[in-house]
Amino acid sequence: MNAERIELNLLPYGADPLAALADRLLADFADDLPHLDRALVLLPEADAAPRLRRLLLERAAALGIEALLGPGIHPLTDWVNRRPLARRVLDERACELILVEALRRHRSLFGQANLWALAESLLQLFGELTRHRVGLPANAEDFKRLLAQAYGDAERSLGALGMEARLVHALWQAWHQELETRQCIDSTGAYLLRLVDADAPPGVEHCYVAGFPRIHEAEHEWLEGLAAGGCAVTLLAQSGPQATTGAHPDAPPTRLAAHFSLPLPAIPDDPYSRFLDAVFAGYQPDAPTLAERAPALARSTPDPASARLFLFAADGAEQEARAVDLQVRRWLLEGRRTVAVVTENRRLARRIRALLERAGVEVRDRAGWALSTTSAAAALERWLECIEEDFPHSALLDLLKSPFFGSGRRERHLATVYRFEQDIVFHENVGRGLEAYGQHLASRRRRLRENMGQALNGVERLLERLGRAARPLRPLLEGRHPPAEFMTRLLKSLEQLGLTQALERDAAGAAVMAELTRVHRAAEEEAAPLHWSEWRGWLGQALERSHFRPPVSGGPVTLLGLGQSTLGRFDALVIAGAERDHLPGGGAESPFFNEQVRRELGLVTAEEQLAERFHQFRRLLQAAPRVLVTYRREQDGEPVIPSPWVEGLAAFHHLAYGTSLTDPELATLAGAPQAEVTDRRAPLPPRETRPNPAAAAALLPPRISASAYQQLMDCPYQFHAARMLRLAPPDVVREALEKSDYGQRVHRCLEAFHAGVETLPGPFGRPVTLSNRAEATALLEAISRQVFAEDLADNFLHRGWLERWLAVIPAYVEWEVARSEHWRFEAAEVTAGHDDRIEGVKLEGRLDRIDRGADGLAVIDYKTGYVPHIDQVLAGESIQLPFYAALAEASTGQPVARCEYLALDKTKADAKAVLEGEELSELKEQVTARLEAVYAALRQGHPLPAWGDAGSCERCAMDGLCRRQAW
């Protein structure tokens, strides 16, 4: 031992460890300043280094030294791992692949257990065994006896322990044999090998190790080796005055001192430290009860906590996030320059960050989040969903609209995506299938005029691009393939898709591409084939384990996790999400070995892990002069259990001083609208009244259809919102047919039967009579089955709609037989327009069917659902029939003698609301004249009130705008 060259510098919890380290460095090298380059500082992570450098410069400036030759400051693991190693090192991703394949060869040991979950647990266990240099006996029976002895019943436990011992022992041996065969080593073993050769750099005389609650045995021996080689070693840690073990917060520094056989120096205290020490003294063996400790402290020490420690119990996650946001902004307004929010609840952390950034407060997120939750990883996920689910519209549109797609010509790309979404997905109601999108695109282009069809050229090119990019991956959906082939084809696919460069230009995207490169390298280590689902799970786990930290800004607020707070010191601090699930949290439990066995084997126990988290929490309570601890009392009506450490603080303070640590002002402000961030002081909302906006002539649609006219009559405000402001909700792709879809299919069947439709049987081509009605029925049924065939392929339940229509066909044919006595079919699905009646407005519509008779034309509108009553038609409330009659006359130049609805429902085909002769002529003229008058009034700014009619409101999509319920 080299105790004379190894020193433990134990600081009180209230000290600033980096400031103390800076002072110590300057004192140790006082005779040689500004040279600090003979010192090496090793920290848990790199984020503390900039602050240490700043403190060194500030303290040196106070001594009259303007510049320094600074020490080397490094994270310990990075400093060790940068040393070269002769053996090839496998990262965790490659280890997992290799171990899964090894597990497949030992299936008899564990039956049908999940290979990937078992491999993850085993790698964690093997890493611990390696890190703590636990050597398992060469013989499985010896290992079984060792476990039985550790479990405490050598005879009775042997049978029960046989499976666990045999599994771990066999797989441990197989794993190391596999590594030896491949002439490689895992990352934990590599770290230990590098430690052996990690001598102090030339010229370094003093090594400072700060912020580590635990030093592993191999690291301990390495530090002793440095000391033996003449390099002084100083360990800096923080503690209270209790030299204890167990789950007490002072246990980690106590164990650290015992590890190096160093004495525990005296720790100075203050009233607040004594208060906290008394609160947590209950975690020591044979400690007085809380009821005894609290009054004893109150008699000797006035309340030291109520001015610097505050608690806030929220009613839910949103209230907690708003309370943290509010308190941070209050502290900043007070002039506090460094504020930290420490939480293990990442969802809460992201919400807090969003609220602070909305208020214009920059946040340094040192904790980051899983790479899998970034928008870059989401784009990758959507692409893989498209491959495996044949391009479902929701995943495809998410991908196409992501910021990583279409970069460079963003506006043109988004216009193409809009055309695809509106014309193909929604208008054609195509839910998935790259081929289906292409077929419907071709069909739509044939139906459109040439100049309109050209607008879809960009969509065609987009679909071709998606098809080319999907080609490398699609063959991998079936069978098993080497992992490297999956990754090679994925990277090729992303390149062809155009995502690679876009991802690399983004911070999170670059992290995703770097991770894919690492996974690709790992995949080259194992050739054993995988199924698509196995590869997807492996890739997803890699993205989930990898963390992304956004670029560091110079903001005053730092967001970090509990483990990252070890060396922090702040002007004010929030410990958020202090519920039992997060503080102390459940930890990562291993399915192998209980606590007693882990202790016997020399592994870290759950009690030691708990003590380390407790130590970090205890240190945070004195890491700032103002500390707020927040937690949820309940969430969604269910109680949430607070951290026992926080409950102990609250109960002790109440027993000792009779008051609560709750901040009453924060509790009041957290629910106050005045505390919300707004751009201006908003007045109280006015009383809700019936909407009655004035029409704006510039917004009047230049074309009006029967449905638009009907909407204007049903509710002028609905027309205003939907047609003038264009606020109609977007269409949705319907996975199952609805009644409106059924009506479209019926219309198409009848169009094919009478006029003919490309790719469908028909037309019938002659009048339907008694002699040929069976033939007509057969043709219409054949057409119908083909029209509904695609729907049946998507969903077998759609057969009900087909059967419903097939039941109507005989009645329709009978109606057609009777109809043929006086009328002959003329045209179907006729697009008609009328420019002359109303200046500046074109009347337009699509007529289901036109027949010709002795007195002129007849217009028929098919109805498979609701049919307006004749009284509504005659009163001018339902305008469709007279509107269509006017359009037919204007388009053909011939009189319309008859207009009617043909109701097709159940097993009937009946004419409804028939208009003929003078009645039709008068109604047609009145309906058109009213539209002309209404449009003239609207051009003059006439209001468009909401009627509030129950029948219209029931079917209205604008109820969220007019708010009829609040009038």
Side-chain angles (χ1 to χ4, degrees):
M1 298 294 291
N2 295 277
E4 68 279 1
R5 299 196 63 82
I6 297 180
E7 175 193 4
L8 176 60
N9 189 351
L10 212 55
L11 307 170
Y13 285 119
D16 181 350
L18 290 183
L21 178 56
D23 291 337
R24 177 62 187 270
L25 275 161
L26 293 171
D28 286 347
F29 291 89
D31 296 336
D32 198 24
L33 292 177
H35 291 276
L36 292 178
D37 51 340
R38 290 182 288 115
L40 173 66
V41 179
L42 299 176
L43 307 174
E45 57 177 35
D47 286 335
R51 182 166 170 262
L52 177 58
R53 293 190 184 98
R54 188 169 62 250
L55 288 168
L56 283 169
L57 288 172
E58 289 173 358
R59 280 158 166 72
L63 297 173
I65 300 171
E66 297 300 325
L68 290 172
L69 291 175
I73 306 175
H74 308 279
L76 172 59
T77 53
D78 291 356
W79 186 79
V80 172
N81 284 330
R82 69 182 182 178
R83 296 175 176 272
L85 197 65
R87 302 190 70 176
R88 190 159 49 92
V89 181
L90 297 178
D91 71 1
E92 184 182 0
R93 305 156 191 83
C95 289
E96 192 172 26
L97 270 183
I98 295 170
L99 185 55
V100 165
E101 185 55 30
L103 290 175
R104 284 197 176 99
R105 298 196 295 267
H106 292 80
R107 267 287 188 189
S108 59
L109 290 174
F110 50 85
Q112 298 303 313
N114 184 298
L115 292 181
W116 297 90
L118 182 58
E120 184 178 6
S121 298
L122 283 169
L123 282 176
Q124 181 183 350
L125 175 63
F126 292 168
E128 287 188 274
L129 292 172
T130 301
R131 186 178 303 111
H132 296 281
R133 302 189 302 188
V134 177
L136 299 189
N139 185 283
E141 290 300 315
D142 292 340
F143 182 48
K144 191 190 303 182
R145 291 189 183 89
L146 174 65
L147 290 185
Q149 182 179 358
Y151 275 110
D153 191 343
E155 296 300 328
R156 186 168 58 86
S157 299
L158 276 175
L161 292 173
M163 175 60 72
E164 181 180 38
R166 192 155 47 92
L167 174 64
V168 172
H169 190 273
L171 294 175
W172 171 260
Q173 298 289 351
W175 171 242
H176 281 275
Q177 181 61 46
E178 188 71 32
L179 293 179
E180 188 63 32
T181 301
R182 294 171 181 264
Q183 292 295 299
C184 58
I185 191 170
D186 62 12
S187 57
T188 306
Y191 179 73
L192 296 186
L193 283 180
R194 287 179 171 122
L195 270 179
V196 173
D197 298 326
D199 297 328
V204 170
E205 300 175 358
H206 204 137
C207 178
Y208 301 85
V209 181
F212 290 89
R214 182 201 319 150
I215 296 292
H216 298 306
E217 187 66 32
E219 294 166 339
H220 172 203
E221 293 180 4
W222 168 69
L223 290 174
E224 286 190 335
L226 289 183
C231 180
V233 175
T234 297
L235 303 169
L236 279 85
Q238 291 178 274
S239 181
Q242 310 294 334
T244 186
T245 57
H248 191 278
D250 292 353
T254 301
R255 278 195 294 269
L256 188 63
H259 209 123
F260 287 92
S261 302
L262 298 172
L264 276 170
I267 303 295
D269 67 356
D270 57 74
Y272 183 56
S273 295
R274 287 197 295 274
F275 165 76
L276 294 174
D277 290 336
V279 172
F280 300 129
Y283 289 89
Q284 288 182 286
D286 304 322
T289 65
L290 183 70
E292 294 170 336
R293 300 195 312 273
L297 181 73
R299 286 191 294 269
S300 63
T301 306
D303 182 2
S306 57
R308 60 182 299 180
L309 177 63
F310 308 94
L311 306 181
F312 180 81
D315 293 330
E318 182 62 20
Q319 188 187 36
E320 182 179 10
R322 290 184 179 277
V324 174
D325 162 56
L326 175 60
Q327 184 58 68
V328 168
R329 289 189 283 117
R330 292 170 75 195
W331 281 333
L332 293 176
L333 290 172
E334 291 174 7
R336 301 184 187 275
R337 294 183 300 171
T338 57
V339 180
V341 179
V342 179
T343 181
E344 295 291 277
N345 185 336
R346 290 308 304 160
R347 177 175 293 183
L348 176 63
R350 295 187 77 164
R351 180 58 180 153
I352 291 170
R353 178 181 177 180
L355 290 172
L356 287 170
E357 290 181 343
R358 185 183 71 175
V361 177
E362 288 190 39
V363 178
R364 298 174 62 242
D365 193 341
R366 285 174 50 190
W369 50 83
L371 190 57
S372 60
T373 64
T374 62
S375 58
L380 173 64
E381 175 68 20
R382 293 295 175 268
W383 174 236
L384 293 176
E385 283 181 31
C386 287
I387 299 298
E388 59 198 13
E389 297 179 26
D390 196 11
F391 292 85
H393 73 279
S394 57
L396 178 55
L397 289 173
D398 282 350
L399 171 67
L400 295 178
K401 294 177 184 179
S402 78
F404 305 100
F405 210 102
S407 57
R409 298 181 176 180
R410 185 68 178 164
E411 291 186 6
R412 181 185 298 181
H413 167 73
L414 290 178
T416 301
V417 174
Y418 178 81
R419 288 266 60 88
F420 168 68
E421 181 179 23
Q422 297 300 320
D423 292 2
I424 308 303
V425 176
F426 291 146
H427 190 277
E428 300 290 324
N429 197 53
V430 188
R432 69 179 62 244
L434 203 57
E435 292 183 6
Y437 296 135
Q439 291 170 358
H440 282 271
L441 172 65
S443 174
R444 184 166 180 78
R445 292 178 70 173
R446 286 194 297 269
R447 298 197 304 270
L448 295 174
R449 293 191 299 272
E450 183 176 351
N451 61 334
M452 296 178 65
Q454 289 178 352
L456 296 175
N457 289 346
V459 176
E460 183 179 27
R461 290 192 293 270
L462 177 62
L463 293 179
E464 289 174 353
R465 179 179 168 192
L466 292 169
R468 285 194 303 271
R471 224 167 275 139
L473 287 173
R474 278 182 158 175
L476 303 181
L477 292 171
E478 303 294 333
R480 299 176 66 182
H481 309 275
E485 185 175 357
F486 278 109
M487 295 308 304
T488 300
R489 288 175 177 250
L490 172 61
L491 294 173
K492 181 180 179 181
S493 173
L494 294 178
E495 182 70 33
Q496 292 179 342
L497 198 61
L499 282 184
T500 303
Q501 291 182 347
L503 287 169
E504 288 174 344
R505 285 193 294 267
D506 176 77
V512 169
M513 291 305 300
E515 184 62 26
L516 292 181
T517 301
R518 286 191 288 269
V519 173
H520 193 190
R521 284 200 300 266
E524 293 173 343
E525 296 290 344
E526 177 55 59
L530 302 175
H531 288 292
W532 174 276
S533 59
E534 292 179 304
W535 170 71
R536 283 280 272 126
W538 178 58
L539 178 62
Q541 278 288 84
L543 293 172
E544 182 68 27
R545 292 192 190 112
S546 181
H547 268 65
F548 170 70
R549 294 186 185 182
V552 175
S553 68
V557 179
T558 304
L559 193 60
L560 62 166
L562 189 64
Q564 297 165 314
S565 67
T566 308
L567 295 170
R569 182 74 184 180
F570 314 97
D571 293 338
L573 170 71
V574 180
I575 304 173
E579 297 95 27
R580 188 174 65 179
D581 289 345
H582 300 291
L583 283 177
E589 295 185 5
S590 171
F592 302 105
F593 311 147
N594 67 9
E595 289 298 286
Q596 178 63 26
V597 174
R598 294 180 67 84
R599 187 175 290 108
E600 290 291 332
L601 291 175
L603 303 178
V604 177
T605 64
E607 182 182 62
E608 290 171 334
Q609 292 176 333
L610 175 63
E612 288 171 14
R613 292 175 69 81
F614 201 174
H615 172 77
Q616 292 163 343
F617 175 77
R618 169 69 179 82
R619 200 200 75 81
L620 281 175
L621 294 176
Q622 289 184 260
R626 293 289 185 275
V627 177
L628 170 68
V629 181
T630 70
Y631 57 94
R632 292 170 294 153
R633 272 191 302 247
E634 61 178 48
Q635 184 66 44
D636 300 326
E638 296 293 327
V640 177
I641 302 175
S643 166
W645 304 334
V646 177
E647 286 184 311
L649 284 169
F652 187 97
H653 189 273
H654 188 269
L655 280 175
Y657 303 106
T659 58
S660 171
L661 288 173
T662 301
D663 182 351
E665 186 178 7
L666 178 60
T668 302
L669 290 175
Q674 298 93 325
E676 294 288 332
V677 176
T678 57
D679 294 332
R680 56 183 175 81
R681 295 179 65 88
L684 290 174
R687 182 178 179 182
E688 291 284 351
T689 59
R690 184 190 304 267
N692 193 26
L699 297 179
L700 284 170
R703 303 167 186 263
I704 189 162
S705 63
S707 60
Y709 188 2
Q710 188 66 60
Q711 194 174 45
L712 181 59
M713 294 298 98
D714 289 343
C715 178
Y717 181 77
Q718 186 183 140
F719 176 85
H720 168 74
R723 307 284 175 167
M724 297 177 68
L725 301 182
R726 300 181 182 181
L727 297 178
D731 293 331
V732 295
V733 175
R734 298 174 291 279
E735 300 291 341
L737 284 179
E738 297 178 0
K739 199 160 189 178
S740 60
D741 303 312
Y742 167 69
Q744 292 174 6
R745 306 300 189 273
V746 170
H747 279 62
R748 188 164 177 78
C749 292
L750 295 177
E751 180 187 5
F753 178 78
H754 290 289
V757 172
E758 189 177 351
T759 73
L760 291 176
F764 192 64
R766 56 190 186 280
V768 181
T769 63
L770 290 174
S771 61
N772 64 16
R773 63 182 175 183
E775 184 182 351
T777 301
L779 176 61
L780 188 51
E781 287 180 348
I783 292 171
S784 302
R785 294 183 192 281
Q786 190 163 328
V787 168
F788 280 86
E790 188 173 328
D791 300 312
L792 295 179
D794 289 341
N795 189 337
F796 184 75
L797 296 178
H798 290 160
R799 186 168 187 82
W801 290 109
L802 172 60
E803 296 297 336
R804 177 174 180 168
W805 168 234
L806 292 176
V808 178
I809 287 177
Y812 176 77
V813 171
E814 291 297 333
W815 175 85
E816 187 64 38
V817 169
R819 179 81 174 179
S820 298
E821 296 180 5
H822 304 287
W823 299 93
R824 291 291 183 269
F825 169 80
E826 178 83 5
E829 301 299 325
V830 178
T831 300
H834 184 12
D835 298 303
D836 302 331
R837 183 59 190 262
I838 304 176
E839 183 180 354
V841 181
K842 181 177 182 179
L843 310 185
E844 61 182 17
R846 193 173 182 86
L847 313 180
D848 291 347
R849 173 172 167 177
I850 298 177
D851 286 355
R852 181 177 296 279
D855 298 326
L857 303 179
V859 176
I860 299 174
D861 192 66
Y862 302 130
K863 292 292 184 185
T864 56
Y866 170 75
V867 181
H869 194 271
I870 183 61
D871 293 342
Q872 295 174 292
V873 177
L874 293 175
E877 294 178 7
S878 177
I879 57 86
Q880 192 174 27
L881 288 180
F883 187 88
Y884 282 166
L887 283 180
E889 286 190 352
S891 299
T892 63
Q894 302 176 47
V896 173
R898 179 183 172 105
C899 203
E900 63 198 292
Y901 294 122
L902 181 61
L904 303 170
D905 195 22
K906 297 181 180 177
T907 58
K908 296 180 180 180
D910 296 327
K912 303 285 187 181
V914 178
L915 298 176
E916 294 181 294
E918 191 67 27
E919 185 177 58
L920 173 59
S921 298
E922 290 181 4
L923 192 57
K924 177 183 60 181
E925 181 61 31
Q926 290 168 356
V927 165
T928 309
R930 180 178 60 186
L931 179 59
E932 185 177 6
V934 167
Y935 246 71
L938 294 179
R939 286 198 181 94
Q940 300 300 317
H942 195 281
L944 288 156
W947 291 151
D949 172 67
S952 298
C953 291
E954 184 179 355
R955 302 184 298 274
C956 181
M958 301 297 155
D959 56 342
L961 292 176
C962 82
R963 298 172 58 85
R964 176 173 176 258
Q965 297 86 347
W967 293 355

